[in-house]
Amino acid sequence: MWPNGTSLGPCFRPTNITLEERRLIASPWFAASFCLVGLASNLLALSVLAGARQGSSHARSSFLTFLCGLVLTDFMGLLVTGVIVVSQHAILFDWHAVDPSCRLCQFMGVIMVFFGLCPLLLGAAMASERYLGITRPFSRPTVASQRRAWATVGLVWASALALGLLPLLGVGRYTVQYPGSWCFLTLGAQPGDVAFGLLFTLLGSFSVGLSFLLNTISVATLCHVYHGQEAAQQRPRDCEVEMMAQLMGIMVVASFCWMPLLVFIAQTVLRSPPAMSPTGQLSRATEQQLLIYLRVATWNQILDPWVYILFRRAVIRRLHPRLSARPRSLSLQPQLTQRRTVQ
């Protein structure tokens, strides 16, 4: 409980912002437009994915399952958080009066952490799947690849939800953030706040770093196979190159959108002297920085579907017609039947 002298819940920190300032910062038209563009983009990507899944190979089907999980997560994240934020911006309700017990704030904090971590964890899972598919194509059974992919997506969702529920169990706190329209983890100096902030940051950063490492190895392997001595038999198929291009795009978008926020959280909770006062106040500059970095991070949910939509073979061939003239490649896997014939 913050020392605010009232019976309000623990999610309310002292803030010095007037109603007029909130009107200037919280634009309902911008928030609504942002959410509508994001929802439409993800719906378009889901419709394209539904068509692409028909007749796809086992490896591509598994990759498309991960993509479907990612796009579905982004869509639901924009929908659930957008309803709360747009409503708050539209009527500028007083959070103290609407949610004195902090249940809505805790719910929003959980889904902010959940939908924030899921794209990063799914990106790492997709990078791992492609790494195994490219470097060890014979080590995985293909029959249950799609079921395994959905099981991995479910495990990612469960892991992110478990982390998001930690503040409800006493590790960290969710508080209303500047300008009073959203809730997120607390950038305080208490051990629980520091532990939860660092756990969120380290898990997100580890996911981005693992994606970078595995994607780099996968791309290097594709280049080696393409230019190797047995290139005529082992050139990567178009779908292999397409999947890696989409995965690299997803990784770059996640890095640019999320790393500034993750670094800022780590720097703030580890700052000495603490950035947050004992009464729960942050400087206006720190609050504004957190808001800016959070808005940059939410662009990830809009850009993810466009990475898939624009990095498809059909689109790339229209932009670069010379690529369609390249002879169709056979397979990334060695031609075992041909080798047996030679022997």
Side-chain angles (χ1 to χ4, degrees), residues 50-225:
R53 288 173 61 88
Q54 300 177 0
S56 59
S57 62
H58 288 291
R60 182 162 173 77
S61 177
S62 178
F63 182 79
L64 292 178
T65 299
F66 281 110
L67 268 178
C68 184
L70 176 63
V71 174
L72 185 62
T73 301
D74 289 336
F75 176 83
M76 292 303 300
L78 283 170
L79 180 63
V80 178
T81 58
V83 168
I84 300 175
V85 174
V86 173
S87 300
Q88 207 285 334
H89 287 185
I91 62 178
L92 292 177
F93 63 77
D94 184 4
W95 208 297
H96 297 76
V98 173
D99 185 34
S101 61
C102 291
R103 293 180 181 177
L104 177 61
C105 183
Q106 290 176 345
F107 171 75
M108 188 174 188
V110 171
I111 63 174
M112 289 287 287
V113 170
F114 173 80
F115 289 115
L117 276 180
C118 276
L120 304 181
L121 295 175
L122 285 173
M126 294 165 67
S128 302
E129 190 274 339
R130 281 292 78 215
Y131 168 80
L132 293 175
I134 291 174
T135 61
R136 291 175 172 80
F138 298 109
S139 64
R140 305 175 310 157
T142 58
V143 178
S145 59
Q146 190 171 352
R147 291 198 299 269
R148 190 191 310 110
W150 276 119
T152 304
V153 172
L155 180 62
V156 167
W157 286 343
S159 301
L161 180 61
L163 182 68
L165 292 174
L166 285 180
L168 277 63
L169 302 176
V171 181
R173 292 170 293 180
Y174 291 126
T175 52
V176 179
Q177 305 292 335
Y178 174 88
S181 58
W182 59 295
C183 289
F184 197 50
L185 57 87
T186 304
L187 303 180
Q190 293 189 11
D193 296 333
V194 175
F196 185 63
L198 290 180
L199 184 60
F200 177 80
T201 299
L202 291 175
L203 187 56
S205 301
F206 174 78
S207 300
V208 174
L210 181 63
S211 299
F212 178 81
L213 176 63
L214 296 181
N215 288 337
T216 301
I217 297 175
S218 299
V219 170
T221 303
L222 283 178
C223 293
H224 175 72
V225 171

Side-chain angles (χ1 to χ4, degrees), residues 284-295:
R284 181 57 57 88
T286 301
E287 290 179 329
Q288 291 175 343
Q289 282 181 293
L290 178 61
L291 179 62
I292 292 172
Y293 290 139
L294 187 280
R295 287 178 172 176

Side-chain angles (χ1 to χ4, degrees), residues 11 29-30 37 87 157 207 212 253 334:
C11 64
W29 302 110
F30 174 80
V37 170
S87 300
W157 286 343
S207 300
F212 178 81
V253 168

